[in-house]
Amino acid sequence: MTIDVARYRGRFAPSPSGPLHFGSLVAALGSYLQAKSLGGQWLLRIEDIDTTRIQPGADSSIMRTLEQFGLLWDQTETYQTERLAFYQHHFNALQARGLVYGCNCSRARIASLGGVYDGYCQQKNLHTEPLAWRLKPGHVPDQFSDLVFGEVQVPARICQEDYIIKRRDGLFAYQLVVVLDDIDQQIGQVIRGADLLEMTTRQQALCTLLGHSPPQYGHLPLAVTAAGFKLSKQNHATDISTLPLAQSMSAALSLLGHTPPAELQQAPVAELLAWALQHWQLAQVPRQREVQISG
Ligand code: GLU
């Protein structure tokens, strides 16, 4: 698929479970540079669908930090929690097509299977809630082509598991809503962290099942600590709004294979960003799932 640059849309889709940390700055910056260097739009989607993980105020804190870095999004930001009727409509349509089944297996049962669900409830025709709703099998390819990683082979457990699209607690699953939002917002390329690399095949397949050609996907290296931990809100990665902006932006650009010249490394972020926009090449991003950083 070639990208129609005039209609190019990228997006950054943080979950508001904490302030912007270095790992999410990398994803924000990479997706911004790819969109803007192609003259496209860059949208901001607050992925607050999992309300059990929201930290009050994290959405505005993330937006203020993006603004400090000069990463200004086009259009008004969207919130998944404001789009529940839209998700329900598409969930109902999948259900009406017979592509979904209810499951009441306990966590303990699934854990006893090694964490990968075995399709046990598929023939049971369960309808009494609470139920988790799973997508029927048979549509997820075991490989796909990534803009950064090239051909990616995906393990059977990802392709063959009937994964959940609506949870037992009534919340829509990320796997469903991310695809619906990417379709609805006409996202041409999804540029994001490599923690979602293998899930991409599910998302592409679901997009096709919904009658749309999937966006292209490119995955960026994850920043990990020396001990090998992914930086995330869960392990209390430093809130980068407390660090000098130029230092964080230079480090994020280096991780993306675009180390700014020494004389620019302490420059105002607007200058760093302008330099990055001029030099940005997705092909220069390291084909690495993880890059170790200090601190
Ligand atoms: N909301 C996800 C996160 O914060 C990103 C999802 C995506 O980019 O597809 O990790």
Side-chain angles (χ1 to χ4, degrees):
M1 180 170 101
T2 49
I3 284 290
D4 173 359
V5 171
R7 286 188 56 237
Y8 182 96
R9 283 213 188 127
R11 48 67 161 188
F12 175 52
S15 307
S17 51
L20 196 80
H21 57 82
F22 183 72
S24 43
L25 174 65
V26 170
L29 194 55
S31 58
Y32 175 90
L33 290 169
Q34 179 68 0
K36 292 294 163 185
S37 65
L38 292 172
Q41 288 201 323
W42 184 64
L43 309 188
L44 176 65
R45 180 194 308 148
I46 304 292
E47 292 206 329
D48 58 349
I49 194 68
D50 185 353
T51 45
T52 63
R53 289 180 52 221
I54 291 178
Q55 192 191 92
D59 55 339
S60 20
S61 154
I62 290 171
M63 289 191 272
R64 295 302 77 82
T65 309
L66 291 173
E67 284 167 350
Q68 285 181 328
F69 281 102
L71 300 172
L72 305 180
W73 55 100
D74 297 292
Q75 304 183 13
T76 309
E77 62 281 1
T78 53
Y79 284 79
Q80 291 180 322
T81 45
E82 291 173 3
R83 293 163 58 77
L84 300 180
F86 167 73
Y87 304 141
Q88 185 68 46
H89 169 82
H90 286 280
F91 173 81
N92 292 348
L94 286 169
Q95 208 169 25
R97 287 168 65 193
L99 295 170
V100 175
Y101 67 89
C103 166
N104 61 5
C105 288
S106 64
R107 276 182 194 204
R109 177 172 185 277
I110 295 168
S112 76
L113 300 168
V116 182
Y117 187 64
D118 59 355
Y120 182 67
C121 292
Q122 200 197 329
Q123 307 305 332
K124 291 205 218 158
N125 209 15
L126 298 172
H127 283 283
T128 313
E129 306 248 25
L131 294 170
W133 294 93
R134 295 178 180 272
L135 205 55
K136 284 190 182 166
H139 68 288
V140 181
D142 64 358
Q143 60 178 50
F144 73 96
S145 180
D146 186 81
L147 294 167
V148 174
F149 283 80
E151 290 308 307
V152 177
Q153 192 64 39
V154 180
R157 70 188 153 75
I158 304 276
C159 314
Q160 290 169 12
E161 185 182 37
D162 305 349
Y163 61 88
I164 292 175
I165 59 168
K166 192 172 187 195
R167 299 169 14 170
R168 190 196 287 254
D169 60 9
L171 296 179
F172 292 104
Y174 157 75
Q175 296 285 2
L176 173 68
V177 299
V178 71
V179 172
L180 291 173
D181 285 341
D182 285 335
I183 292 172
D184 192 50
Q185 296 182 311
Q186 301 181 342
I187 301 299
Q189 285 187 349
V190 172
I191 306 293
R192 61 183 179 187
D195 49 338
L196 291 162
L197 182 67
E198 284 156 348
M199 289 303 163
T200 300
T201 183
R202 287 185 178 176
Q203 295 174 12
Q204 284 184 330
L206 181 51
C207 198
T208 306
L209 201 65
L210 291 164
H212 295 267
S213 57
Q216 295 179 327
Y217 290 82
H219 288 84
L220 308 171
L222 294 178
V224 294
T225 63
F229 292 117
K230 178 192 158 188
L231 291 188
S232 72
K233 294 133 195 168
Q234 283 70 36
N235 61 29
H236 307 291
T238 317
D239 168 2
I240 45 165
S241 63
T242 61
L243 298 173
L245 295 176
Q247 183 187 322
S248 299
M249 189 178 274
S250 293
L253 287 170
S254 297
L255 190 140
L256 291 168
H258 293 70
T259 303
E263 68 276 13
L264 270 187
Q265 291 192 8
Q266 309 295 328
V269 281
E271 277 178 46
L272 274 165
L273 198 55
W275 175 88
L277 270 172
Q278 258 174 21
H279 292 86
W280 178 255
Q281 301 275 353
L282 194 60
Q284 233 171 279
V285 171
R287 231 184 197 211
Q288 246 172 284
R289 280 178 192 246
E290 295 184 346
V291 170
Q292 213 181 78
I293 57 153
S294 50

